[in-house]
Amino acid sequence: MHKKTAFEQIFQIKGGDFINAGEPSIKIRNILKDIGIDADIIRRVAITAYEAEMNVVMYGQRGTMKLLVTPEKIVLHIQDKGQGIEDIELAMKPGFTTATEEMREMGFGAGMGLPNIKKNADRFNIRSTIGQGTKLRITFKVK
Amino acid sequence: MTLDKIKELLNCRVLYGSHKLQLDVKSAKASDLMSDVLRFSGPAKLLLTGLTNIQVIRTCDIAGICAIIFVRDKIPTAETIELSKKCDIAVLVSNFSMFESCGILYSNGIKGVTIQSIKQ
């Protein structure tokens, strides 16, 4: 794959939509399979995309997830319009959560999402503004 | 061990996936927390859970799990079964509790997935 032919696609995520949550992540997984990316990298990207997507569904009003694939790397950009994260350091602590009962009933909201994302990524950046939303940039090396 | 043998050991009903009963299962995960299923994403092909919503199927699809046993006689929702068909993930129901199910499978040689066994 040449740099000029890098693949890019944007997926919409709707806050509170627990029924369709996960579909964009599964599409991303399938795209990477079609491209012929290494299975271990696909697994890490898919898990990361899904965790990030669930965070938007749970805490954001709406958001987008952009997949960028170049010969060197895979990048996920996730941004949401939402309440934002007050203390990012605290949010990164395994087990810390502000989840509601509904989120927990879905099997999420245990405070493992962001730590899981960080663990699976090669590079992870998070920025958040209270009352506006959160942006994640997650990078995976392909080679 | 085949999924068929597991079905027998846990007295399961098959709601979807009779064609997958010859699946060879060496290890399993058991959790009602989907983030834990994603976190310990080792080689397990089987999940035991008491959670029956649609996100269980999506989590298994993402984590590469091919079969689910719903414990405590929990019947998944219609939309959960529909999605399992679409993703081709076998769905079984056991009337054993989570503890009993895990104990029976472990004592019959099914291994768990630990952090140590996963390539970090």
Side-chain angles (χ1 to χ4, degrees):
Chain A
M1 196 191 312
H2 192 269
K3 247 185 183 173
K4 280 177 185 168
T5 59
F7 181 88
E8 192 178 305
Q9 191 165 339
I10 295 175
F11 301 87
Q12 301 295 322
I13 306 168
K14 198 175 154 196
D17 183 3
F18 286 100
I19 299 296
N20 296 303
E23 281 185 358
S25 300
I26 286 168
K27 280 181 190 158
I28 285 174
R29 194 256 330 255
N30 294 342
I31 288 168
L32 297 179
K33 263 188 188 173
D34 288 346
I35 293 174
I37 302 290
D38 174 79
D40 183 58
I41 297 173
I42 293 179
R43 184 183 59 78
R44 286 163 50 217
V45 176
I47 289 171
T48 303
Y50 187 46
E51 288 280 20
E53 194 189 333
M54 287 310 293
N55 277 345
V56 176
V57 171
M58 290 192 288
Y59 300 107
Q61 291 150 14
R62 63 182 185 281
T64 55
M65 175 154 60
K66 185 170 90 177
L67 167 71
L68 175 72
V69 186
T70 75
E72 295 83 24
K73 62 188 178 186
I74 296 166
V75 186
L76 294 173
H77 286 272
I78 298 103
Q79 53 180 14
D80 69 35
K81 299 278 179 207
Q83 61 201 24
I85 300 169
E86 201 173 310
D87 185 337
I88 289 175
E89 205 179 320
L90 192 58
M92 291 302 301
K93 270 189 150 178
F96 176 81
T97 182
T98 56
T100 63
E101 199 53 40
E102 188 195 10
M103 299 171 191
R104 288 166 183 272
E105 279 171 8
M106 296 302 291
F108 287 87
M112 290 315 300
L114 289 175
N116 252 359
I117 291 172
K118 193 179 177 188
K119 193 194 86 177
N120 281 294
D122 287 317
R123 282 186 70 187
F124 169 64
N125 290 302
I126 177 167
R127 280 188 298 153
S128 192
T129 310
I130 290 295
Q132 288 185 27
T134 303
K135 288 181 184 178
L136 305 183
R137 182 188 158 93
I138 309 159
T139 309
F140 306 84
K141 288 178 200 158
V142 170
K143 284 175 185 171
Chain B
M1 186 189 300
T2 62
L3 186 59
D4 197 34
K5 177 71 180 166
I6 290 172
K7 170 188 166 248
E8 202 177 293
L9 286 169
L10 298 183
N11 193 26
C12 291
R13 286 172 287 150
V14 181
L15 300 188
Y16 171 72
S18 301
H19 64 289
K20 296 179 83 89
L21 290 175
Q22 292 313 307
L23 182 78
D24 183 33
V25 179
K26 290 188 174 65
S27 55
K29 297 178 189 181
S31 184
D32 286 353
L33 269 179
M34 294 304 105
S35 276
D36 272 355
V37 176
L38 294 168
R39 188 173 165 220
F40 304 130
S41 72
K45 289 180 186 168
L46 174 69
L47 173 71
L48 291 93
T49 185
L51 204 67
T52 56
N53 66 57
I54 199 164
Q55 290 307 328
V56 174
I57 306 293
R58 290 228 170 82
T59 301
C60 287
D61 195 10
I62 292 277
I65 289 167
C66 315
I68 304 169
I69 296 177
F70 291 104
V71 296
R72 305 191 293 273
D73 224 3
K74 291 258 190 170
I75 307 294
T77 61
E79 60 197 8
T80 300
I81 297 174
E82 271 314 301
L83 187 62
S84 77
K85 290 177 186 170
K86 202 173 148 193
C87 300
D88 198 27
I89 293 171
V91 173
L92 293 83
V93 178
S94 169
N95 53 9
F96 284 105
S97 71
M98 180 76 103
F99 183 80
E100 290 167 320
S101 303
C102 293
I104 291 166
L105 294 189
Y106 194 82
S107 61
N108 278 279
I110 298 291
K111 300 291 177 213
V113 177
T114 58
I115 303 172
Q116 286 76 21
S117 71
I118 301 164
K119 190 181 150 201
Q120 293 291 316

